[in-house]
Amino acid sequence: ITVDDVCDAFRIGRTKLYEISMDYLGCGLAEYIRIQRIRHAQQLLEESDQSVTDIAYSVGFSDYNHFSRVFKQITGMSARDYRKANKQ
């Protein structure tokens, strides 16, 4: 899902969507989507044996390096370190 998908679905502009998301989510919609993708990646890292690269793609990142940067920015550690510390 992308911001443009949501805008199209609700037939509103990006600016209005950003205002609404700030009111209800406390952040922009794009940031909220990134956070949800990383949360899903965390769950997959804990519960599956998929490679980190496969997880990155499965949660919607088309670039592994971008996924790695965003994951570390949000969680404070690399995906590999997160898996080692939280594997069930």
Side-chain angles (χ1 to χ4, degrees):
I1 187 170
T2 66
V3 172
D4 289 331
D5 293 337
V6 176
C7 288
D8 291 344
F10 290 103
R11 297 188 174 136
I12 59 175
R14 291 176 71 92
T15 302
K16 184 64 176 174
L17 181 61
Y18 181 79
E19 291 171 0
I20 293 168
S21 67
M22 286 299 291
D23 288 343
Y24 288 95
L25 304 172
C27 62
L29 187 59
E31 180 66 15
Y32 181 78
I33 291 169
R34 273 191 297 278
I35 291 168
Q36 295 309 308
R37 286 178 173 167
I38 295 302
R39 285 185 180 162
H40 187 91
Q42 288 175 297
Q43 181 180 4
L44 291 173
L45 288 165
E46 292 171 16
E47 297 173 358
S48 80
D49 291 325
Q50 283 182 282
S51 71
V52 176
T53 302
D54 288 344
I55 289 172
Y57 294 129
S58 72
V59 298
F61 286 86
S62 59
D63 179 351
Y64 172 78
N65 292 323
H66 180 62
F67 167 78
S68 295
R69 282 191 303 275
V70 172
F71 191 95
K72 188 166 188 170
Q73 179 186 27
I74 291 174
T75 66
M77 64 176 58
S78 72
R80 284 181 173 78
D81 290 344
Y82 181 87
R83 173 174 266 168
K84 287 178 190 172
N86 296 284
K87 187 70 175 165
Q88 293 181 357

